Amino acid sequence: MKDKPIENFTYAHNDTSVPERVSRTSSVNSPVFSEAVLKMRADAFGRNIPVSSDETLAFLRICVAMAKPSKILEIGTAVGISGLCMLEICPSAHLTTIEKNADFAGEAAANFARVGLSDRATVLVGDAAEVLAALRGTFDFIFLDGPKVQYVKYLPRLKRLLSAGGVIFADDVLLYGWVNGENPVPPKRRMLVEHIREYLDAVKGDPQLITTVVDVGDGVALSVKAGAPE
């Protein structure tokens, strides 16, 4: 989970309605970041900009390293930290990343350029639903980390864009233990939780997808599109 609220998901760090969750997955080591990424992460944390946790990024990097994608799609760029981590672990990949906040998108583009990766990263600014509808071609790996209420709405377009054998990595699907009943859902967050449950029901019930939910970070749903890799 990115540590600062994003669109449709607003909490203060001292919000007592947000319970502490301890992942039961202890075998995921903290990722080893390059010096440049470490500095960018520290700066982002200092400005309360959305940045994924060490545990989530470690697991993301493992999944990308195993999938060896040539084309990665990311929904929710922020300032590009997760994109940089994926590109560093998979040096042959090209990243297309979507960000609604123009200031974040501009900073992400500058961060990619700063480490010499601008030729391997395309930053698209706009509402993800509209951008996804306009995209053509397929992607081998999709990192879904945008507004949680939109996950289930994005799914048909993500499936269209996902190559056979490709992976959707959907972050924050347990959401403080609310989604799986580990913790009670605050009344004002029930609709948000229901949307995430709808996404999980959709991917688990889809005959084209093989899905598992992993208790890493704040929950990750991994879905693989059936069929031989293209």
Side-chain angles (χ1 to χ4, degrees):
M1 175 182 178
K2 290 183 176 176
D3 296 334
K4 174 68 179 176
I6 59 177
E7 180 187 0
N8 295 321
F9 184 34
T10 306
Y11 301 116
H13 286 293
N14 61 354
D15 187 342
T16 57
S17 71
V18 177
E20 290 292 330
R21 293 194 71 246
V22 178
S23 172
R24 288 180 289 275
T25 304
S26 59
S27 59
V28 178
N29 296 324
S30 294
V32 178
F33 300 113
S34 67
E35 188 68 25
V37 170
L38 279 173
K39 290 179 180 179
M40 292 175 195
R41 287 191 87 219
D43 177 70
F45 275 126
R47 292 184 288 143
N48 289 325
I49 290 173
V51 179
S52 296
S53 68
D54 279 7
E55 187 179 46
T56 298
L57 283 178
F59 189 58
L60 175 64
R61 284 159 59 98
I62 289 169
C63 291
V64 170
M66 290 190 297
K68 296 180 174 61
S70 61
K71 294 176 66 180
I72 301 172
L73 175 63
E74 178 183 40
I75 295 90
T77 314
V79 295
I81 306 301
S82 52
L84 287 167
C85 289
M86 289 189 284
L87 290 176
E88 283 186 345
I89 204 69
C90 193
S92 63
H94 186 277
L95 172 72
T96 299
T97 183
I98 304 169
E99 175 57 52
K100 187 174 183 178
N101 184 307
D103 291 335
F104 283 173
E107 186 169 343
N111 284 337
F112 290 128
R114 187 172 300 136
V115 295
L117 293 176
S118 56
D119 60 331
R120 294 177 50 212
T122 301
V123 182
L124 303 177
V125 184
D127 181 85
E130 297 175 1
V131 176
L132 289 172
L135 286 178
R136 297 294 179 264
T138 58
F139 297 86
D140 312 305
F141 193 97
I142 297 175
F143 179 36
L144 177 57
D145 197 23
K148 314 311 166 193
V149 297
Q150 301 296 330
Y151 277 18
V152 71
K153 296 179 182 178
Y154 294 158
L155 184 58
R157 289 168 180 164
L158 297 180
K159 283 179 58 184
R160 173 181 63 82
L161 293 167
L162 187 65
S163 62
V167 178
I168 300 175
F169 183 115
D171 200 14
D172 300 334
V173 298
L174 295 182
L175 201 62
Y176 300 116
W178 297 338
V179 175
N180 62 358
E182 182 179 304
N183 290 304
V185 182
K188 64 181 179 179
R189 303 303 175 194
R190 286 174 182 162
M191 188 60 66
L192 173 61
V193 168
E194 284 306 308
H195 283 301
I196 297 174
R197 287 173 176 163
E198 287 174 7
Y199 175 81
L200 293 177
D201 288 343
V203 292
K204 289 178 180 178
D206 193 312
Q208 288 186 291
L209 298 174
I210 303 166
T211 297
T212 188
V213 177
V214 185
D215 189 11
V216 170
D218 214 17
V220 172
L222 288 176
S223 300
V224 179
K225 190 172 182 179
E230 298 172 357

